[in-house]
Amino acid sequence: MRTRTFAVALLAAIGLAAPARAQPPQQPGGFVDLAYPADALAARATGVVVVRVTTDASRRVTEAEALSGPAILRPAAVANARQWTLGNGPGTDVIVYRFEIDHAACNDDSRSLFRRVYPNLALITACSGPGRGDPPSVPDELPLETEGAARDYPSLAFNASIRGVVVLELSTDASGTITEARALNDAPFLRDAAIAHARTWRVRTAVPRRGIVVYEFLQDLRICTKEVPTVLTHITGDYLRLSACGRTIDFAP
């Protein structure tokens, strides 16, 4: 009897007397999928929402507020961001949500696809049936003129195949000249290049302005030349993409 009692006590001491309590499942990567908001889809609304979040010591988002983006899309993005867990510890960060509609590609308007492209970029794509038409035009929050702007992919980021997004807060004077460019997220090897690029831009305005712009660095070009090593594309008025060819290895002797 004593031997059996001792054995039970030993098993309990090492945690084998009873199964461990099941832990609640965690979403992979600390994010939660977001379906395209029904009211926004009905209105054919698209755009980019930037959400600033605050995290606690356990890296869970405790506060979230929209800094920019269409009003009809902001509530869903903010509610979704509050469910995320980030990987950079306590502090503040930004999450970018890009909502887009693939027009006349399917017959079911009720479904959408959520993709977490980067740790701080989520892409929500909805499908639109034939006859729905194009989405309504949305005025640019910060109408940029980027023709002639520097377009060099940062060399260290290119060699290390680093991709990602930088969220910039820009200020202008009445002539449209950029007077201040500040990065709202930490993006090593990309942040300084984005700021340098932004300082070459101009804004179509007659009064001082302040706004948010998202800048994406991507290595996805199929064909590059020495004359055109990169391509700068306006995805939306406040979302720009700098594309370059992926890094290649020369095996020639």
Side-chain angles (χ1 to χ4, degrees):
M1 185 66 176
R2 289 181 178 179
T3 302
R4 183 172 181 273
T5 302
F6 175 77
V8 171
L10 179 61
L11 290 174
I14 63 176
L16 298 177
R21 179 177 299 177
Q23 297 295 321
Q26 297 291 329
Q27 286 286 342
F31 65 93
V32 176
D33 289 359
L34 171 61
Y36 213 103
D39 56 344
L41 184 55
R44 325 316 292 165
T46 62
V48 176
V49 179
V50 175
V51 179
R52 178 165 55 198
V53 298
T54 302
T55 57
D56 61 15
S58 64
R59 301 178 297 178
R60 295 183 181 276
V61 173
T62 57
E63 299 179 17
E65 64 170 331
L67 301 180
S68 65
I72 196 171
L73 294 170
R74 291 189 182 197
V78 169
N80 181 261
R82 291 182 183 276
Q83 304 176 69
W84 283 41
T85 300
L86 302 183
N88 59 345
T92 59
D93 207 334
V94 291
I95 301 174
V96 179
Y97 292 84
R98 197 170 89 232
F99 295 86
E100 62 180 19
I101 299 176
D102 192 355
H103 290 277
C106 65
N107 293 319
D108 186 355
D109 286 1
S110 63
R111 297 184 179 182
S112 60
L113 174 65
F114 178 95
R115 285 173 285 168
R116 192 184 186 193
V117 183
Y118 303 115
N120 63 336
L121 171 62
L123 178 60
I124 304 94
T125 305
C127 197
S128 172
R132 285 290 193 175
D134 295 327
S137 60
V138 179
D140 296 342
E141 293 190 11
L142 204 64
L144 299 173
E145 295 177 350
T146 59
E147 292 301 323
R151 298 183 179 185
D152 294 331
Y153 205 100
S155 58
L156 289 177
F158 179 79
N159 291 332
S161 298
I162 295 175
R163 307 166 177 84
V165 295
V166 182
V167 179
L168 302 176
E169 182 180 52
L170 305 181
S171 299
T172 77
D173 58 19
S175 70
T177 300
I178 304 295
T179 58
E180 182 181 3
R182 182 170 68 97
L184 301 183
N185 65 308
D186 186 18
F189 305 110
L190 300 177
R191 178 185 58 194
D192 292 344
I195 291 174
H197 281 222
R199 290 189 180 279
T200 68
W201 306 341
R202 293 183 64 83
V203 176
R204 298 189 299 275
T205 181
V207 295
R209 298 281 298 276
R210 181 182 293 271
I212 304 294
V213 173
V214 179
Y215 203 95
E216 180 181 10
F217 292 85
L218 188 63
Q219 296 179 23
D220 65 337
L221 293 183
R222 298 291 182 86
I223 300 175
C224 291
T225 65
K226 292 183 178 180
E227 292 75 19
V228 186
T230 60
V231 174
L232 184 65
T233 307
H234 289 244
I235 304 302
T236 65
D238 52 359
Y239 192 107
L240 297 97
R241 175 183 294 154
L242 182 67
S243 298
C245 276
R247 203 166 160 268
T248 59
I249 300 175
D250 188 0
F251 291 99

